[in-house]
Amino acid sequence: MGRSNFHLNKWFLDFIGNNGETMIFYSAKLSWKGFVTHYASWIRYSPESGVKVKSHFLNVQAPKLVDKLITWHDDKFKVSGSWESAAKPLHTRIFDTDDGYLDWNCFQPASLVQLKIKDKIIQGNGYVEQLILTTPPWHIPMNDLRWGRFHSLQDTMVWIELRKENKQQWLWLNGEKITTCSIEDDHISSTSNDFLLKLDRGVALESEKKIFQVAQKILCYLPGFNKLMPTKFLMADNHKWLSKAEFHKNASPVTEGMAIHEWVNFNAQDQ
């Protein structure tokens, strides 16, 4: 654990079905100054009923990783699932100081997923990543955070960008790291690698001050924690989208797939 006495282990697992039904699951454990809290959240979208969100703080299970298979269940949500890897894992250290670090472990850039929700079993594609953070996230210099993942039958792409005075970018296309690219909310492109990913942002999965909402809920578990958070961080705007995506590469035929991506604006209070 870093000098800050802060430690976050946060999992993100998602699912996209053939009919457009989409789910995101979070499972997290946060430790700070001897206090520990667990958190689980479920974002569920269907074309018929729109977006629904549930969360809780009790009896939260961490995913289990065995070889290429990740399993996870949540008794309160009455959900269990298995994610079988369909692409090689990706790992990088996003941030590193004497105070702590942020490790990003993308165990499954693309997955074959089976979910059981109550007594119903559904199948589709997915993605799994884990963040290990040992310093408070507001110590990471960023005004904007962009992240996303795209998957089609032929291609898989994952991207991260931190912006402040400069940009820090990480992007992998089919497991290959791309060093020069443009990352925006509606497109991802690289002239040197000759590709363009168009994102329609057709469904808003989140559009709210999520950090503030979660912080309000965890105060009874981590007393005084909110007083440490800079207002700029606490009041950030979070936008998460489900996009129909078109992938153009070289002279190859255009391929279509789905993307989940987000933009976190840490300058929202100044605008």
Side-chain angles (χ1 to χ4, degrees):
M1 191 174 292
R3 294 181 196 169
S4 63
N5 291 316
F6 181 99
H7 191 279
L8 175 66
N9 179 355
K10 180 181 179 183
W11 288 82
F12 171 105
L13 311 94
D14 73 28
F15 165 89
I16 300 177
N18 296 331
N19 62 351
E21 186 174 18
T22 298
M23 301 184 204
I24 296 173
F25 302 99
Y26 293 97
S27 173
K29 177 183 178 181
L30 173 60
S31 306
W32 175 68
K33 291 188 175 180
F35 297 101
V36 178
T37 185
H38 300 259
Y39 173 72
S41 180
W42 178 14
I43 301 171
R44 184 176 189 177
Y45 164 77
S46 73
E48 297 77 27
S49 57
V51 178
K52 297 180 180 179
V53 182
K54 297 180 180 180
S55 62
H56 71 89
F57 293 82
L58 299 174
N59 300 318
V60 176
Q61 302 295 316
K64 291 182 172 60
L65 170 62
V66 179
D67 296 326
K68 294 185 176 182
L69 187 68
I70 292 173
T71 56
W72 181 75
H73 73 274
D74 189 284
D75 294 338
K76 189 171 180 64
F77 293 152
K78 295 182 172 59
V79 170
S80 63
S82 62
W83 283 255
E84 184 180 355
S85 182
K88 291 183 178 179
L90 306 167
H91 304 278
T92 194
R93 179 157 286 188
I94 300 291
F95 179 71
D96 195 4
T97 65
D98 291 340
D99 183 55
Y101 57 84
L102 171 58
D103 278 352
W104 176 78
N105 300 310
C106 181
F107 291 111
Q108 296 185 0
S111 316
L112 301 175
V113 186
Q114 179 171 291
L115 291 178
K116 183 178 181 182
I117 302 173
K118 295 182 179 177
D119 295 324
K120 181 182 177 184
I121 294 177
I122 54 177
Q123 295 179 328
N125 297 304
Y127 168 99
V128 182
E129 72 173 37
Q130 177 203 39
L131 296 178
I132 300 291
L133 180 61
T134 64
T135 187
W138 51 87
H139 289 181
I140 301 173
M142 54 185 172
N143 291 332
D144 301 86
L145 163 66
R146 284 179 171 84
W147 164 93
R149 63 69 142 199
F150 161 76
H151 180 59
S152 71
L153 290 175
Q154 297 85 3
D155 299 287
T156 297
M157 189 188 301
V158 185
W159 61 91
I160 304 168
E161 181 185 84
L162 308 181
R163 289 188 193 180
K164 200 165 186 184
E165 289 80 10
N166 300 307
K167 295 180 183 179
Q168 292 179 275
Q169 296 178 325
W170 298 263
L171 187 146
W172 292 264
L173 174 60
N174 298 324
E176 177 189 355
K177 190 169 184 180
I178 306 297
T179 55
T180 55
C181 57
S182 173
I183 297 175
E184 300 294 343
D185 295 328
D186 61 351
H187 74 274
I188 312 294
S189 63
S190 172
T191 52
S192 58
N193 290 272
D194 195 15
F195 71 75
L196 169 65
L197 180 69
K198 294 182 178 179
L199 304 163
D200 75 351
R201 292 178 292 173
V203 177
L205 297 171
E206 288 182 330
S207 183
E208 57 193 21
K209 296 189 181 295
K210 183 177 180 180
I211 296 172
F212 175 77
Q213 292 180 354
V214 174
Q216 292 294 98
K217 292 177 182 176
I218 67 172
L219 288 184
C220 58
Y221 302 97
L222 303 175
F225 187 68
N226 63 322
K227 295 178 182 178
L228 289 178
M229 287 189 187
T231 304
K232 174 180 176 178
F233 182 84
L234 188 64
M235 301 308 292
D237 279 344
N238 182 283
H239 303 272
K240 188 178 270 93
W241 298 284
L242 173 68
S243 283
K244 292 180 179 177
E246 291 183 357
F247 187 58
H248 305 249
K249 182 167 173 55
N250 303 325
S252 303
V254 175
T255 60
E256 296 181 345
M258 300 297 292
I260 295 174
H261 54 117
E262 72 177 341
W263 169 43
V264 185
N265 176 13
F266 293 99
N267 282 337
Q269 65 165 355
D270 300 329
Q271 298 172 353

